[in-house]
Amino acid sequence: MTCTEKAHIAHDLLSRGHSPTTASRIFKEKVLQKPLLLRPTSPDPVLDARSQRQRARLLKAAERRKSRKPQPLSAKQKRALCIYEIPKEQRKYAIYEPLHALWVGYMRGILGVDGVRDNGYGAYVTPQGAGPLIASADFHGAEVEVVRSRCVSRVGLKGIVVKDTKFTFEVITKSDELKTVPKEHTVFRFEIPLIAKMPEGEQEGEKLKSLVFELHGSQFENRAPDRANKKFKLHIDPDL
């Protein structure tokens, strides 16, 4: 840089702290050859005015569809619409008898007895082995009977479970009535009938005794899906 040329202020400042060669090199790399990055603000030149209008319409339609996406119903709205209530014309005991038959087969499979015993011999059911299996089972279709309750008027109530909620059993009685029974402070009894297997060519012999279980509702306050993976522990019931 000659003396006649006007010196750059940056070069002048670098000359004060570095040698002339070093000052020239730094000035050339950091000032003269420094890249200037610009962000494009204009639209893509590939898109013409027609393509731009079409793209704007598509984006606007997508936003409109997103705003119209239905939202899930709240618990209050579900109760107002009676989504989970059984219609009166379907509150018939005869409708749920096949469901009870399916449930009996389901429980036989869980307990490993399959309702069959050869000449009185077969699988044994013990409280220690059957207790955890029954506690994690689904009781939709079970025929339960209230044998103990703090509300005396509920004792003796018997019907098929049509809804197993966290705190209640909803049962259909033989008089085609829907009853809601709270689980708390209530003891339920249910039976699982067994079938005797006889040799071929012979009719069924004497009827085997059914397996009878009692269920303490206060220890059973869980929804059916939640009980599937829950582990139950034996402990003393303070109400006994």
Side-chain angles (χ1 to χ4, degrees), residues 14 67 72 88 105-107 115 119 129 160 166 184 199 220:
L14 290 172
S67 62
K88 291 184 179 181
Y106 159 73
M107 292 301 296
N119 298 327
I160 298 176
K166 184 175 182 179
E184 187 178 12
F220 205 68

Side-chain angles (χ1 to χ4, degrees), residues 40-57:
T41 57
S42 58
D44 191 352
V46 179
L47 300 176
D48 54 4
R50 182 179 180 182
S51 299
Q52 292 178 12
R53 291 193 299 269
Q54 184 179 6
R55 184 169 179 271
R57 287 195 300 269

Side-chain angles (χ1 to χ4, degrees), residues 92-137:
K92 306 292 182 182
Y93 184 85
I95 296 178
Y96 300 98
E97 286 181 329
L99 177 63
H100 173 62
L102 290 175
W103 181 83
V104 170
Y106 159 73
M107 292 301 296
R108 290 171 181 166
I110 287 181
L111 297 176
V113 295
D114 294 330
V116 176
R117 293 192 177 186
D118 300 329
N119 298 327
Y121 297 96
Y124 290 93
V125 178
T126 60
Q128 292 78 9
L133 298 176
I134 293 176
S136 60

Side-chain angles (χ1 to χ4, degrees), residues 84 138-140 161-170 180-183 217 220-227:
Y84 299 118
D138 191 337
F139 278 78
H140 287 93
V161 177
V162 295
K163 188 186 296 185
D164 179 6
T165 65
K166 184 175 182 179
F167 298 108
T168 62
F169 276 141
E170 291 190 12
T180 302
V181 184
K183 296 179 180 178
F220 205 68
E221 293 181 337
N222 301 97
R223 298 188 311 116
D226 298 336
R227 292 196 302 265

Side-chain angles (χ1 to χ4, degrees), residues 6-18:
K6 187 177 181 180
H8 195 280
I9 186 172
H11 187 275
D12 189 14
L13 293 174
L14 290 172
S15 300
R16 298 179 182 181
H18 301 279

Side-chain angles (χ1 to χ4, degrees), residues 73-219:
L73 297 176
S74 62
K76 183 178 180 180
Q77 293 173 334
K78 291 178 181 178
R79 289 193 297 268
L81 295 174
C82 304
I83 293 179
Y84 299 118
E85 291 188 7
I86 301 176
K88 291 184 179 181
E89 60 273 10
Q90 297 182 9
R91 298 178 183 179
K92 306 292 182 182
Y93 184 85
I95 296 178
Y96 300 98
E97 286 181 329
L99 177 63
H100 173 62
L102 290 175
W103 181 83
V104 170
Y106 159 73
M107 292 301 296
R108 290 171 181 166
I110 287 181
L111 297 176
V113 295
D114 294 330
V116 176
R117 293 192 177 186
D118 300 329
N119 298 327
Y121 297 96
Y124 290 93
V125 178
T126 60
Q128 292 78 9
L133 298 176
I134 293 176
S136 60
D138 191 337
F139 278 78
H140 287 93
E143 187 174 21
V144 298
E145 179 183 2
V146 178
V147 295
R148 189 186 306 173
S149 176
R150 289 190 177 182
C151 181
V152 182
S153 61
R154 296 195 187 107
V155 177
L157 180 65
K158 187 176 182 180
I160 298 176
V161 177
V162 295
K163 188 186 296 185
D164 179 6
T165 65
K166 184 175 182 179
F167 298 108
T168 62
F169 276 141
E170 291 190 12
V171 301
I172 293 288
T173 63
K174 291 187 177 181
S175 57
D176 297 335
E177 293 180 348
L178 180 64
K179 299 290 186 179
T180 302
V181 184
K183 296 179 180 178
E184 187 178 12
H185 307 307
T186 305
V187 179
F188 302 90
R189 178 182 296 166
F190 62 93
E191 299 182 5
I192 301 177
L194 298 179
I195 302 175
K197 181 180 179 182
M198 301 301 294
E200 295 182 1
E202 296 185 11
Q203 298 181 353
E204 186 176 344
E206 61 176 346
K207 185 177 180 180
L208 298 177
K209 291 184 178 180
S210 301
L211 297 177
V212 182
F213 299 93
E214 288 190 356
L215 185 68
H216 294 262
S218 298
Q219 309 296 328

